[in-house]
Amino acid sequence: MNDWSWIEPSIAIFGLAVITVVSRSFFMIPERELPLPDWLKRGLKYAPLAALTAVIAPEILMTHGELIGTFMDARIPAVLCATAYYFWRRGILGTIVVGMVVYMPLHIGWNW
């Protein structure tokens, strides 16, 4: 007796791969640049920032699906220090290091 349970996941993975390749190469297929309205070009400049904010903000401000209820949370001082460092030096690596240097002792050492 053959076990055919691998067929459906394989078809799903193959289909998702095809959809991904086609959707990502869609903008490279035309021979000339697609004209975009100016308002759309201006709006697309802010898309990466909006996406990053949508991912990071819930991680900082929420726990278990609810807003944090206390300022005794290690994420708050870590974000404040990392933000201050970024505006001071404009370095991404340093921002990450400063945030983690503040976060880890508060979270592990003081159980914030």
Side-chain angles (χ1 to χ4, degrees):
M1 176 160 46
N2 291 334
D3 183 20
W4 295 94
S5 63
W6 59 273
I7 290 180
E8 284 184 17
S10 298
I11 292 171
I13 291 170
F14 178 75
L16 289 170
V18 168
I19 290 170
T20 301
V21 168
V22 169
S23 66
R24 290 182 183 259
S25 65
F26 177 73
F27 295 103
M28 293 183 261
I29 293 172
E31 292 182 13
R32 61 183 176 84
E33 185 175 333
L34 297 173
L36 295 175
D38 287 336
W39 62 267
L40 182 59
K41 287 180 185 177
R42 283 192 312 271
L44 287 175
K45 287 186 346 186
Y46 300 105
L49 179 61
L52 186 61
T53 302
V55 170
I56 292 176
E59 284 296 319
I60 295 170
L61 301 174
M62 298 179 78
T63 186
H64 304 295
E66 297 180 7
L67 288 175
I68 56 174
T70 178
F71 289 112
M72 298 285 288
D73 192 312
R75 294 174 288 185
I76 303 298
V79 167
L80 293 174
C81 291
T83 303
Y85 178 86
Y86 178 77
F87 284 113
W88 177 49
R89 300 294 298 218
R90 300 283 185 192
I92 297 297
L93 181 60
T95 302
I96 294 169
V97 169
V98 166
M100 292 309 292
V101 163
V102 172
Y103 175 79
M104 293 305 285
L106 291 175
H107 183 69
I108 294 174
W110 290 350
N111 292 324
W112 275 23

